[in-house]
Amino acid sequence: MDSVKNVALPVSDPSKVRENWKGRSGMTRRGAYAAASYMASAAEEPHGTDDKPTTLVSYKALVHTLPLAVSYLLYMLVTMESVRGINIPMYTALRRTTVAVTMIVEYLLTGKKHSLPVVGSVGIILLGAFIAGARDLSFDAYGYAVVFMANLCTAIYLALIARIGKSSGLNSFGLMWCNGIICGPMLLFWTSVRGDLGAIMKFPYLFLPGFQAVMLLSCIMAFAINYFVFLNTTLNSALTQTICGNLKDLFTISLGWLLFGGLPFDLLNTVGQFLAFLGSCLYAYYKLLGK
């Protein structure tokens, strides 16, 4: 029973974590490092110079992170469903409205308030999102509803990372570990019921070295991205993580357009993308100033 109640994993002292977060409004150097690392998906979590006591992750800690695991499952399922209903330009535009939803949910769950300059930069991002998708006049009620549900699930998931990360004292890896322990059996059961595991075993290229190498690299990249999502959110905020996601998408779209082309130039979409980028840069500037 002792092995069930106490799983060896070092964590930070919860009281010190809460003290460190009190009164912090600006982005620290470590927080900026985490944000840049998420967008680049490479680097390591910097180690603090102070000696922090370590404890063991208990069964109580796993129960404490249960809401985070549930929100993660909903986030995954709804997000995957949201890409099926509408076209990519409108999907991208609607997903950028997550910043506003995150700001509201973050206030409701953690009580975090943002300054007027930060709110204004978020408004510029929203304006850019609507301008970028203005030419798409098609309307799919179900598709739009699912995307907004995905925005809400994303905001709740990120806000819970910030809240539970502070209250539990777990570091980024500890939160990921607990999340995986809880979600793993649920996902295994779900994929078994849906027949996905059987379909995987019948895949003809499953045991080819090339396919396994690509899958291994994909898993490593997925781990890195998830790790930096947790790190960036706990060090900075859920809103910062959302805006970093927007910037990452902008860089990805621009790089893909430069390398592969294939997309016609649209002035309205370009203006919208520029405004979204401008709003994200202003947000980063104000946070670095501590506003």
Side-chain angles (χ1 to χ4, degrees):
M1 295 296 293
D2 294 336
S3 61
V4 176
K5 293 182 179 179
N6 296 301
V7 184
L9 188 69
V11 298
S12 304
D13 187 359
S15 61
K16 289 189 175 182
V17 173
R18 285 191 292 268
E19 290 176 2
N20 292 336
W21 275 88
K22 286 183 178 179
R24 180 182 296 179
S25 60
M27 184 183 295
T28 63
R29 178 179 299 180
R30 190 182 178 199
Y33 179 84
S37 298
Y38 160 71
M39 290 186 288
S41 294
E44 295 181 359
E45 180 176 7
H47 299 282
T49 56
D50 55 334
D51 296 329
K52 297 180 180 179
T54 58
T55 58
L56 299 178
V57 172
S58 62
Y59 175 76
K60 183 178 180 180
L62 290 175
V63 174
H64 188 71
T65 58
L66 182 61
L68 176 62
V70 174
S71 68
Y72 175 71
L73 291 174
L74 290 175
Y75 159 73
M76 280 201 312
L77 294 174
V78 179
T79 301
M80 287 188 293
E81 178 66 22
S82 65
V83 300
R84 301 179 182 179
I86 59 177
N87 57 57
I88 296 300
M90 181 53 67
Y91 172 80
T92 304
L94 293 179
R95 283 292 283 165
R96 288 202 185 122
T97 61
T98 307
V99 292
V101 182
T102 302
M103 184 180 293
I104 297 172
V105 172
E106 195 175 34
Y107 172 74
L108 294 176
L109 291 183
T110 66
K112 187 176 182 62
K113 298 180 180 179
H114 297 278
S115 63
L116 287 178
V118 169
V119 174
S121 63
V122 171
I124 294 175
I125 295 174
L126 292 178
L127 178 62
F130 287 119
I131 291 177
R135 289 193 186 278
D136 184 14
L137 300 179
S138 61
F139 179 80
D140 186 330
Y142 174 77
Y144 280 36
V146 174
V147 173
F148 282 116
M149 281 298 299
N151 292 349
L152 180 61
C153 291
T154 302
I156 293 175
Y157 171 57
L158 295 177
L160 285 177
I161 291 178
R163 180 178 180 178
I164 294 177
K166 298 175 191 177
S167 61
S168 66
L170 293 168
N171 58 21
S172 302
F173 184 79
L175 286 174
M176 283 187 64
W177 188 87
C178 292
N179 195 48
I181 289 294
I182 297 173
C183 293
M186 297 181 184
L187 291 175
L188 183 63
F189 173 77
W190 179 253
T191 53
S192 300
V193 171
R194 289 177 54 89
D196 294 332
L197 288 180
I200 291 174
M201 296 307 298
K202 295 178 182 178
F203 185 64
Y205 306 107
L206 179 62
F207 298 104
L208 288 180
F211 177 79
Q212 292 182 354
V214 171
M215 284 299 300
L216 177 61
L217 292 175
S218 299
C219 292
I220 293 174
M221 180 59 70
F223 176 85
I225 291 176
N226 282 320
Y227 173 76
F228 286 116
V229 166
F230 277 84
L231 180 61
N232 188 26
T233 306
T234 52
L235 288 181
N236 296 309
S237 67
L239 183 60
T240 299
Q241 168 57 34
T242 305
I243 291 181
C244 286
N246 286 342
L247 278 174
K248 176 181 66 68
D249 292 339
L250 285 171
F251 291 143
T252 303
I253 292 172
S254 301
L255 184 62
W257 183 76
L258 291 175
L259 293 179
F260 306 107
L263 293 176
F265 176 80
D266 184 89
L267 180 60
L268 203 60
N269 186 271
T270 303
V271 172
Q273 300 285 3
F274 174 77
L275 285 175
F277 176 75
L278 177 62
S280 300
C281 292
L282 286 175
Y283 174 85
Y285 173 74
Y286 290 133
K287 294 301 290 184
L288 288 173
L289 290 180
K291 293 184 178 181

